[in-house]
Amino acid sequence: MKDLAFNKNEDNMNLLIGELKHHISNANLGGGKISTERHKKKGKLTARERINFLIDPNSNFLEIGSLAAMGMYDEYGGCNSAGVIIGIGSIHQKKCMIVANDATVKAGSWFPMTAKKNLRAQEIAIENKLPIIYLVDSAGIFLPLQNNIFADKEHFGRQFRNNAIMSSMGIPQIAAIMGSCVAGGAYLPIMCDETIIVEKTGSVFLAGSHLVKAAIGEDIDNEKLGGAKTHSEISGTADYKCKNDSEAILLIRNLIEKTSNHQTAGLLRKKSFDPLKNPKEILGIIPKKRDKQYNMIDIIERLVDESNFIEYKKDFGKTIICGYARIDGWEIGIVANQRTIVKNGKGEMQIGGVIYSDSADKSARFIMNCNQKKIPIIFFQDVTGFMVGSKSEHGGIIKDGAKMVNAMANSTVPKFTIIIGNSYGAGNYAMCGKAYDPRMILAWPTARIAVMGGDQASNVLFNLEKNRLNKKGEEISKSDEIKIKKKIVDNYNKQTSPYYAASRLWIDEIINPLDTRKYISTAIEVSNNCPIKEFKTGLIQT
């Protein structure tokens, strides 16, 4: 399969993967060497050390949002991984959501993206009925940005509401107070089913000693005010007292071992087989240039078990591929954009990466079939949007697109989205973008997410700027036009980058394409923890 174009594509993908590894490595530094040394001198484990000790030996921790807040708070010295580490890990072979404050990053203070990331962890736990564990070590809300984190619906207080909701659903919640836990943040561990506090390092109170002195004139130190001895012997707020982080983590493991498993969704799984076609060839299949074509089937066959893919309506609606396969033994349905020039059933050429009426109609039907069979759906996005023009409008493209969106939005089987290329306009929505509640949404380093492609957008934005200047009586010289266009293109490209999306948690993680099977398999295993609701679409126009 390899030729010069393949080798160039492979070199480009390897460069992008190298860039991804570099950014993740920087994020994993937390607050840096000095802050980490200061943290460890207190007798504490770092957040990542706590997680590694907590999960089963030789098991994987599937991190989510590792690049959250990347480049967003540079004026405050940055906030690597939004100051909190979240992900899915196995404890006594039970999948759990783990949330660990990183106190090396601004003392674990809550920035706006910290709250958003914590809420995403709780959302995943609720959707999949996962036990959730909080390793608490936080100085509370970052006051310079309190107006962006405190009072709105999806702000800081929402996490306590979620604590209550999860409790009513019977989802186990365990918190270990391993450092500071102050003000409103004090409610999070106490609203959990069971609370652990670590001697000497753990403390929890609504107001610290300095604020107590200022408010009511009482002289008291933090340990007597809200330390481990106080809350385990006097107030009874904490359920368990531990000598150090290690003892607390072992206790969490013992408590999780005693939790019962929820009723499963009954998703089908058979013996796992590797793809027959080499997955590493994916790196050379995805084109470096976004206007180049490739066959999505070549990607699918390098991801699914035994490279076996049963295509649904193969000769109809060819700009979307639908079909059945298995990944790591799990039975799945696949809905994937086809970025190659194809002929439809009438012999007409169709542009790859564009959704036409026939492909939208086919997809809606296939999504409903998957719901009938209780089969989870994987959406592989490389879409530039729906087809435009009089022929498409007269043919009912909006009606057929609405049919697809309706079926997808009402789908009750677990949905997962992988953005491998373009994710533009309404195509993002129809192919299960973030707004449509995929259980997990991931991107390859080649992803681009925007209302429209860069060339179209830059021309629109330039014309708007040109009109604005003309209204002020200003003429644009040729050299100024070049400068303005370059600035617009650079800014637009930055905003369509997968890193821009990852920093804002529009996607859960950017992944190496070769890790796709691992992420999908774990995500499906987690989703099997929760029964599937009845599928209803409401009114769909025919």
Side-chain angles (χ1 to χ4, degrees):
M1 183 174 186
K2 293 188 177 182
D3 56 17
L4 182 59
F6 180 97
N7 291 336
K8 287 183 177 180
N9 293 339
E10 187 177 38
D11 289 344
N12 178 65
M13 183 66 87
N14 281 324
L15 285 172
L16 293 176
I17 291 170
E19 181 185 9
L20 172 62
K21 289 178 179 177
H22 171 73
H23 287 309
I24 290 176
S25 179
N26 281 344
N28 288 351
L29 294 174
K33 184 178 178 180
I34 294 174
S35 182
T36 300
E37 288 175 351
R38 191 183 306 126
H39 177 89
K40 292 178 77 71
K41 282 180 180 178
K42 298 176 183 177
K44 297 180 180 182
L45 299 173
T46 65
R48 294 189 182 277
E49 287 172 338
R50 289 166 177 168
I51 292 170
N52 289 336
F53 189 24
L54 178 61
I55 62 177
D56 293 338
N58 302 315
S59 67
N60 292 318
F61 176 66
L62 203 76
E63 187 167 353
I64 295 166
S66 63
L67 298 174
M70 176 179 165
M72 291 183 67
Y73 303 117
D74 291 347
E75 66 270 38
Y76 300 105
C79 186
N80 275 337
S81 293
V84 62
I85 301 163
I86 71 170
I88 298 165
S90 294
I91 303 173
H92 289 293
Q93 299 183 331
K94 297 176 182 178
K95 294 296 186 200
C96 299
M97 173 57 70
I98 301 169
V99 180
N101 297 115
D102 187 349
T104 70
V105 180
K106 297 289 186 295
S109 295
W110 284 64
F111 283 67
M113 284 307 302
T114 316
K116 187 171 184 177
K117 190 170 176 179
N118 197 75
L119 291 175
R120 178 58 178 149
Q122 292 181 321
E123 180 182 33
I124 292 172
I126 290 170
E127 286 176 333
N128 300 289
K129 292 195 173 179
L130 282 182
I132 185 166
I133 296 153
Y134 305 94
L135 307 179
V136 183
D137 195 345
S138 171
I141 286 176
F142 186 66
L143 286 177
L145 294 174
Q146 66 85 28
N147 61 313
N148 292 318
I149 187 177
F150 176 65
D152 207 352
K153 180 179 179 180
E154 299 294 334
H155 280 180
F156 188 71
R158 184 76 171 183
Q159 66 183 322
F160 314 131
R161 174 264 187 194
N162 288 347
N163 287 141
I165 295 298
M166 282 189 279
S167 181
S168 71
M169 293 173 67
I171 297 172
Q173 299 178 83
I174 299 172
I177 303 167
M178 298 171 144
S180 297
C181 184
V182 301
Y187 286 103
L188 185 144
I190 311 309
M191 292 188 72
C192 291
D193 302 329
E194 294 178 287
T195 304
I196 301 162
I197 190 167
V198 177
E199 291 182 309
K200 297 181 181 178
T201 59
S203 60
V204 55
F205 33 64
L206 295 180
S209 56
H210 294 297
L211 189 55
V212 167
K213 173 70 174 176
I216 63 173
E218 181 183 2
D219 277 312
I220 189 170
D221 62 44
N222 283 338
E223 184 63 26
K224 289 182 180 179
L225 180 65
K229 185 178 178 66
T230 296
H231 285 307
S232 60
E233 298 179 18
I234 301 173
S235 73
T237 299
D239 302 308
Y240 308 94
K241 179 175 65 175
C242 292
K243 293 179 180 178
N244 51 43
D245 284 4
S246 298
E247 186 178 300
I249 289 168
L250 288 173
L251 177 55
I252 294 170
R253 287 184 55 81
N254 288 333
L255 293 173
I256 288 294
E257 188 179 21
K258 292 169 176 56
T259 60
S260 60
N261 293 321
H262 283 281
Q263 178 185 351
T264 69
L267 302 179
L268 297 175
R269 189 179 198 183
K270 294 186 177 181
K271 183 179 179 181
S272 175
F273 291 94
D274 291 333
L276 293 179
K277 296 187 177 181
N278 188 355
K280 291 183 179 179
E281 291 179 346
I282 289 172
L283 306 185
I285 293 172
I286 299 294
K288 178 179 179 180
K289 293 186 177 180
R290 310 194 78 76
D291 58 348
K292 295 292 183 182
Q293 304 297 316
Y294 68 93
N295 191 343
M296 180 64 79
I297 294 289
D298 291 335
I299 301 295
I300 292 171
E301 289 179 341
R302 285 158 178 81
L303 290 174
V304 302
D305 291 10
E306 299 184 287
S307 300
N308 184 24
F309 178 62
I310 303 171
E311 191 169 352
Y312 173 81
K313 291 185 183 289
K314 181 177 180 180
D315 298 318
F316 180 77
K318 290 186 175 182
T319 63
I320 290 184
I321 296 167
C322 299
Y324 302 104
R326 288 192 178 93
I327 285 184
D328 196 22
W330 293 105
E331 189 74 51
I332 58 165
I334 290 175
V335 179
N337 302 112
Q338 175 65 293
R339 207 215 287 181
T340 188
I341 303 299
V342 296
K343 288 184 178 181
N344 63 16
K346 300 176 183 178
E348 300 168 330
M349 298 300 292
Q350 293 186 322
I351 302 168
V354 178
I355 301 175
Y356 290 77
S357 284
D358 54 359
S359 50
D361 183 78
K362 176 176 81 172
S363 302
R365 175 74 183 208
F366 180 74
I367 289 166
M368 289 188 280
N369 280 349
C370 287
N371 276 271
Q372 285 282 83
K373 298 175 182 178
K374 307 296 186 199
I375 296 175
I377 306 170
I378 316 292
F379 292 84
F380 288 99
Q381 287 196 13
D382 192 350
V383 57
T384 52
F386 283 83
M387 191 59 189
V388 297
S390 61
K391 185 176 180 180
S392 292
E393 297 294 356
H394 297 170
I397 185 66
I398 298 175
K399 176 187 69 176
D400 291 321
K403 187 190 304 182
M404 180 181 175
V405 171
N406 194 322
M408 180 274 301
N410 283 298
S411 181
T412 57
V413 296
K415 300 176 293 189
F416 310 92
T417 302
I418 315 287
I419 304 172
I420 71 175
N422 300 322
S423 180
Y424 294 157
N428 170 284
Y429 299 160
M431 292 294 294
C432 197
K434 185 66 181 288
Y436 294 86
D437 300 322
R439 299 285 182 99
M440 192 171 288
I441 179 167
L442 307 165
W444 290 0
T446 44
R448 289 280 169 181
I449 305 167
V451 172
M452 62 181 72
D455 291 338
Q456 305 99 304
S458 60
N459 287 330
V460 171
L461 292 168
F462 172 72
N463 287 330
L464 289 172
E465 178 66 9
K466 184 178 179 180
N467 291 337
R468 186 185 71 82
L469 293 172
N470 287 341
K471 286 180 180 179
K472 293 171 64 177
E474 299 180 23
E475 293 292 327
I476 301 176
S477 66
K478 194 66 179 176
S479 61
D480 286 340
E481 180 178 329
I482 293 171
K483 290 178 183 178
I484 292 170
K485 279 189 174 181
K486 184 180 185 305
K487 183 179 179 181
I488 288 171
V489 169
D490 289 347
N491 187 53
Y492 195 82
N493 285 340
K494 177 184 176 183
Q495 292 181 3
T496 62
S497 159
Y499 294 101
Y500 192 90
S503 70
R504 288 153 180 80
L505 285 179
W506 299 347
I507 55 177
D508 290 316
E509 193 75 0
I510 306 173
I511 64 170
N512 183 331
L514 301 183
D515 290 333
T516 303
R517 277 174 59 89
K518 177 182 74 175
Y519 271 86
I520 290 176
S521 177
T522 302
I524 295 175
E525 182 182 355
V526 164
S527 71
N528 198 32
N529 213 36
C530 184
I532 296 171
K533 297 177 182 178
E534 182 184 357
F535 174 62
K536 296 179 181 179
T537 61
L539 180 65
I540 292 183
Q541 291 193 35
T542 57

